[in-house]
Amino acid sequence: MIFVKNQAKAGKFCACGSWPQEWLTRFVEHRIGDKRIIRLIQKWLKAGILEEGIVTVSDRGTGQGSVASPLLANIYLHYVLDLWAERWRRHEATGDMIIVRYADDLVAGFEHEDDARRFLDARRTRFEEFALSLHTNKTRVAAIGGAEDARGQDFPWRCHTLGME
């Protein structure tokens, strides 16, 4: 089984500070037709961060600690990662594969080592397209034994990824 664990990186909730706000706005507009909600989200994005009496505004990500940051980062990762990974599983994987994501953490298990390595390479390319990257110190492919699927079949490989930057 290949085990993949990701964590977006840019402070505490990592995906917040690195992605272009234009992409997030496009993702939100895809699902929400109410322009008032879109304007409210754009105001959150442009609000900036107050540190030691100084307001810093950025055109990337959301403010660290903003109440909207986890929600907006999940929207971003849904389009950048979740939908793409599901499509990759259906069209590219040669064996069984499972993916679980919570916030900025991702775990993926693969029946075949080759699938894990190809997924890791493809995901790296996908992230670059959307201004994210994998944390190289926290990304690896590792073999594990004894893990079984629901049918009792062994998954011998695991890819471990911890970190998106």
Side-chain angles (χ1 to χ4, degrees):
M1 176 187 248
I2 310 251
F3 174 73
V4 181
K5 184 166 179 357
N6 278 355
Q7 184 177 28
K9 188 177 173 201
K12 192 171 166 193
F13 187 82
C14 305
C16 307
S18 60
W19 37 262
Q21 293 173 355
E22 300 83 39
W23 274 114
L24 175 67
T25 302
R26 289 174 62 185
F27 295 151
V28 171
E29 287 173 341
H30 180 73
R31 300 292 289 199
I32 298 175
D34 189 335
K35 295 297 180 190
R36 294 170 296 184
I37 299 296
I38 302 299
R39 278 194 309 273
L40 178 61
I41 290 171
Q42 290 171 332
K43 285 182 181 183
W44 269 327
L45 293 173
K46 294 181 182 359
I49 304 169
L50 176 64
E51 291 181 304
E52 299 178 13
I54 301 171
V55 176
T56 306
V57 179
S58 175
D59 63 344
R60 301 185 65 76
T62 63
Q64 179 64 34
S66 164
V67 296
S69 292
L71 172 68
L72 297 176
N74 266 317
I75 292 169
Y76 194 79
L77 291 174
H78 172 73
Y79 285 97
V80 172
L81 178 63
D82 300 343
L83 297 177
W84 171 84
E86 177 61 27
R87 189 172 48 252
W88 193 95
R89 183 187 64 76
R90 283 193 318 269
H91 299 288
E92 302 293 330
T94 59
D96 285 340
M97 175 182 170
I98 184 170
I99 295 179
V100 178
R101 184 178 70 82
Y102 175 77
D104 58 351
D105 290 324
L106 169 76
V107 177
F110 299 84
E111 183 177 9
H112 304 296
E113 179 184 7
D114 183 57
D115 281 348
R117 294 191 186 281
R118 288 185 305 109
F119 179 78
L120 195 57
D121 290 341
R123 191 175 42 162
R124 190 172 282 119
T125 302
R126 173 72 173 178
F127 282 4
E128 288 171 1
E129 294 171 9
F130 292 92
L132 292 173
S133 63
L134 297 173
H135 191 294
T136 55
N137 294 337
K138 299 178 180 181
T139 304
R140 67 183 179 276
V141 174
I144 62 168
E148 297 179 349
D149 69 4
R151 299 170 300 212
Q153 295 178 329
D154 186 46
F155 283 92
W157 287 95
R158 138 175 150 170
C159 168
H160 184 115
T161 303
L162 175 63
M164 291 180 250
E165 293 183 310

